[in-house]
Amino acid sequence: MSTTLITNISEAFLSDAAHTLIENAAILIDGEDIAWVGEAEHAPEADSVIDAGQRAALPGWVDSHSHLVFAGDRSREFVARMAGQDYAAGGIAVTTKATRAASDYDLTRLVMGRAAEALAGGTTYLETKTGYGLNVEEEARHARIASTVVDQVTFLGAHLVPADMDAQEYMDLVCGEMLERVLPFVQFADVFCERGAFDEAQSRQVLAAAKDAGLGLRVHGNQLGPGPGTQLAVEFGAASVDHVNFLDADDVAALAGSWADWDARARTGTAGTVATCLPACDLSTRMPFAPGRELIDAGAQIALASNCNPGTSYTSSMAFCVSTAVLQMHLSIEEAIVAATYGGALALGVQDRVGSLEVGKRADIQLLNAPSVAHLAYRPGMNLSGPVFRAGQLAAGQI
């Protein structure tokens, strides 16, 4: 198997437990994996050499929360919200109608285009959800299509109760036939535990059925106000609870406590429930930012994700999420990068394979058109994406 050395890297941020930053760095790729990382002057020989041109290097983003399987446009809703209209979950129905009307070909093309945009922005590992089908055939179709494009798929049949169905009737469908149909294509199940969507009892039913089916669990929780979502996520051992805008002291303590058997320095032990913060969505909905600083200080593990969707966060730019987390959520640049790489990997259960530049992990590497990773927040809004390597191969951009 051939080896490739990426050298003349101005600095490499490894996103490891020590937040290691190596100046004048090089990275050796062997096949799909990282074989060596260190100072360029000590680099081993390789079959081929790539000159990074004094660009900074960091892991590819791991986006653990997106909703890419959709058709239609909700820009008018966005304009109305910016003019003062409150956000409510009901706008999902608008996307459901448009998505149901799209052909397999058109829907696949749309998802592929969005995934390509994310990759060009440095995202090398991507999750997406169903949830705009809301009947058996459509949810199964969306799960199948998503599974051909992204790395992991989450079943979100419990996104909203369709207007033409009784809530309990729909719950039984989600936890029965719909769940059975999507199982071949999904790794996780999720529930929108929120006012206007699903209450605690309904959310429990979804989580219990998904757990019995052998799926990993997620919860959309505490986005629109205080609620039971975070506590439910911890109770059920969910991999993540996402949004987490409105947390009280007990919620923060529960999330931190879920990591009691995790050694953060060695990154070993039993993983708890990741608190996934979605800052682009918080901006678009004008909600308070998730308390990322408080969660980190309490000992919880956080992730940053795009929440790319047509209603509340139509962006796949993880760099934008990182800069917003630094400028608005009071994270350091190092903490924000770790949350957008290793944190996302934790939330998806793939931290042993992706999320940091460490020997033995997949060679998912992005080079910035900047000399330092600090430029991600120092120059907010600028497109700094350079070449992107996925599994050791140049996947986007040019050297």
Side-chain angles (χ1 to χ4, degrees):
M1 194 171 292
S2 64
T3 57
T4 301
L5 183 72
I6 305 176
T7 191
N8 196 23
I9 297 170
S10 57
E11 65 176 34
F13 181 74
L14 306 193
S15 215
D16 60 355
H19 293 191
T20 302
L21 184 72
I22 302 174
E23 296 182 349
N24 300 314
I27 303 170
L28 181 67
I29 301 171
D30 187 352
E32 294 187 352
D33 298 336
I34 296 172
W36 179 91
V37 183
E39 295 179 354
E41 62 179 327
H42 302 304
E45 293 186 358
D47 298 316
S48 61
V49 176
I50 294 173
D51 188 335
Q54 281 294 290
R55 295 180 174 102
L58 67 158
W61 306 124
V62 180
D63 190 349
S64 60
H65 184 130
S66 76
H67 304 254
L68 303 182
V69 189
F70 69 87
D73 180 80
R74 283 164 65 185
S75 58
R76 289 184 179 180
E77 176 188 324
F78 171 79
V79 171
R81 191 165 63 248
M82 293 303 99
Q85 179 179 302
D86 288 341
Y87 168 66
I92 294 165
V94 176
T95 298
T96 297
K97 181 179 179 180
T99 307
R100 287 177 176 179
S103 68
D104 279 14
Y105 173 82
D106 286 340
L107 202 52
T108 302
R109 179 178 56 82
L110 289 168
V111 179
M112 290 179 67
R114 291 165 190 143
E117 287 178 341
L119 179 62
T123 298
T124 52
Y125 200 94
L126 181 60
E127 179 268 8
T128 203
K129 307 177 195 304
T130 69
Y132 294 130
L134 304 186
N135 63 36
V136 173
E137 292 301 325
E138 286 296 304
E139 284 292 307
R141 181 172 79 108
H142 300 180
R144 172 178 53 79
I145 287 171
S147 71
T148 67
V149 180
V150 303
D151 298 287
Q152 290 194 19
V153 183
T154 297
F155 169 49
L156 186 57
H159 204 183
L160 190 73
V161 178
D164 59 347
M165 289 196 71
D166 171 77
Q168 190 55 54
E169 180 185 3
Y170 185 67
M171 276 288 88
D172 294 340
L173 191 66
V174 168
C175 298
E177 184 182 359
M178 191 181 292
L179 177 60
E180 292 174 6
R181 288 285 300 277
V182 302
L183 271 178
F185 310 109
V186 305
Q187 291 76 43
F188 287 90
D190 199 343
V191 58
F192 193 7
C193 181
E194 199 64 71
R195 61 179 172 88
F198 297 91
D199 62 21
E200 180 176 352
Q202 293 166 334
S203 299
R204 283 183 176 278
Q205 184 179 347
V206 172
L207 294 171
K211 187 173 184 178
D212 288 346
L215 293 178
L217 305 179
R218 307 194 178 291
V219 175
H220 276 59
N222 300 73
Q223 177 188 6
L224 305 179
T230 292
Q231 296 289 341
L232 277 177
V234 173
E235 176 187 337
F236 275 85
S240 71
V241 56
D242 301 31
H243 286 290
V244 295
N245 300 84
F246 294 91
L247 301 182
D248 61 24
D250 289 341
D251 294 327
V252 173
L255 286 166
S258 73
W259 294 91
D261 296 326
W262 176 260
D263 185 335
R265 288 181 292 183
R267 288 183 168 175
T268 58
T270 302
T273 299
V274 175
T276 302
C277 305
L278 308 170
C281 179
D282 299 343
L283 282 172
S284 178
T285 56
R286 291 182 171 162
M287 289 289 178
F289 285 100
R293 174 78 275 144
E294 182 181 354
L295 286 162
I296 291 174
D297 291 344
Q301 298 285 327
I302 75 165
L304 293 175
S306 73
N307 191 27
C308 183
N309 76 83
T312 62
S313 187
Y314 201 175
T315 179
S316 61
S317 175
M318 291 290 283
F320 176 71
C321 295
V322 165
S323 64
T324 303
V326 174
L327 297 172
Q328 300 291 333
M329 294 171 60
H330 306 288
L331 272 63
S332 70
I333 185 65
E334 295 84 3
E335 289 169 333
I337 292 173
V338 169
T341 54
Y342 187 78
L346 268 179
L348 296 174
V350 291
Q351 67 272 15
D352 292 337
R353 188 63 178 138
V354 298
S356 59
L357 301 181
E358 297 181 90
V359 172
K361 287 195 174 181
R362 199 171 79 177
D364 288 2
I365 306 160
Q366 55 174 318
L367 300 177
L368 299 180
N369 291 323
S372 169
V373 294
H375 281 237
L376 287 164
Y378 176 47
R379 301 181 64 201
M382 303 304 294
N383 180 12
L384 301 180
S385 295
V388 180
F389 297 82
R390 187 179 187 275
Q393 299 296 314
L394 182 64
Q398 296 182 337
I399 299 297

